[in-house]
Amino acid sequence: MAITDARQGDLLLIPGADGRPWFWHRLVAELDRRGCRAVAADLPKSADSTLDDYADAAAAAAAGDGPWIVVAQSLGAFTAPLLCTRLPVERLALVNPMIPSPGETAGDWWEHTGQGPASAEAAARDGRPAGFELVRDFFHDVPPEITEQAFADAEVAELGGVFAQPWPLRSWPAVPTQVIQGADDRFFPLDFQRRVVRDRLGLDQLTVIPGGHLNALSRPAELADALLSWSPAGPAAKP
């Protein structure tokens, strides 16, 4: 059943590698216009912070309310499932996610999934230069004034501890899981993400929306619509 009011599930927003709640500000405004409450977590910035520290910080941001729809961007998919033992979570919504396997580190995820070859193949197919470039590959569809704001605050999370900690869960939580993927994501191409989602979550369906890797900044209205109109078409992700 689609969400029609905030009491069916407030939204707890987990940023990606950037770590700043600012990342979600355009989505929060869209959700507010739709009558939904959203809380953006501020993650620890120190290099020795762990996934457990991230989950504790996100749970503290939720302030004990619920039930929650936990929305996670990219690297945030390593943290979001950990909240299922800390909060009443009714759904996990993963946006352009790095989906972990038990015992896997975020540092190893890239090689394990084949992200590098997949993004290089997509770049060649699209006629783009090889190799990752932050503005070209992340901000290509973000409005210039928002891109400028993103770089105005240089305080981003250091990720040494997070990338080194093996993902601590033995299986994916038995919670309905939605995967939202940007059709124009240059970092995690759509065909790559379909494979990873199928292999790791046992899900054949993705919610595909316009935009690149940073949909919350480039396409917040479409992202809000995708979050609020979703209903599970089948069972939750396989444990």
Side-chain angles (χ1 to χ4, degrees), residues 9-238:
D10 294 333
L11 294 97
L12 177 61
L13 312 177
I14 312 299
D18 178 271
R20 294 177 292 172
W22 174 88
F23 173 78
W24 297 109
H25 75 283
R26 300 192 77 199
L27 177 65
V28 169
E30 291 290 342
L31 293 169
D32 183 67
R33 277 192 280 273
R34 291 159 171 77
C36 296
R37 186 170 76 98
V39 177
D42 189 5
L43 302 181
K45 303 296 190 295
S46 64
D48 59 355
S49 296
T50 65
L51 292 171
D52 296 300
D53 294 328
Y54 275 24
D56 288 343
D65 294 328
W68 292 94
I69 297 168
V70 178
V71 183
Q73 163 72 17
S74 195
L75 177 63
F78 269 73
T79 300
L82 307 186
L83 290 167
C84 293
T85 61
R86 292 165 166 84
L87 297 171
V89 175
E90 71 176 36
R91 191 210 315 172
L92 296 171
L94 313 177
V95 185
N96 302 320
M98 293 173 61
I99 299 170
S101 287
E104 181 178 60
T105 70
D108 289 335
W109 180 91
W110 312 90
E111 182 178 355
H112 290 177
T113 59
Q115 182 273 340
S119 62
E121 180 180 342
R125 183 177 60 243
D126 297 342
R128 289 183 280 109
F132 175 73
E133 199 283 317
L134 182 62
V135 174
R136 181 191 68 215
D137 294 328
F138 270 9
F139 290 88
H140 59 94
D141 63 336
V142 176
E145 66 275 14
I146 303 298
T147 299
E148 184 177 352
Q149 291 176 32
F151 286 92
D153 182 358
E155 186 188 8
V156 297
E158 299 182 52
L159 299 172
V162 168
F163 268 64
Q165 181 185 356
W167 194 59
L169 299 186
R170 294 183 178 181
S171 62
W172 196 260
V175 173
T177 299
Q178 176 189 20
V179 178
I180 301 173
Q181 183 64 30
D184 302 314
D185 190 339
R186 296 178 175 179
F187 203 46
F188 301 157
L190 182 57
D191 53 354
F192 160 81
Q193 195 67 281
R194 289 188 192 280
R195 172 177 58 80
V196 173
V197 169
R198 184 176 58 251
D199 292 348
R200 296 193 167 203
L201 296 181
L203 297 176
D204 293 323
Q205 293 189 340
L206 281 70
T207 303
V208 180
I209 65 173
H213 193 66
L214 307 180
N215 311 80
L217 296 177
S218 65
R219 300 279 191 155
E222 290 89 339
L223 179 53
D225 289 342
L227 287 166
L228 300 183
S229 63
W230 184 80
S231 61
K238 294 178 183 178

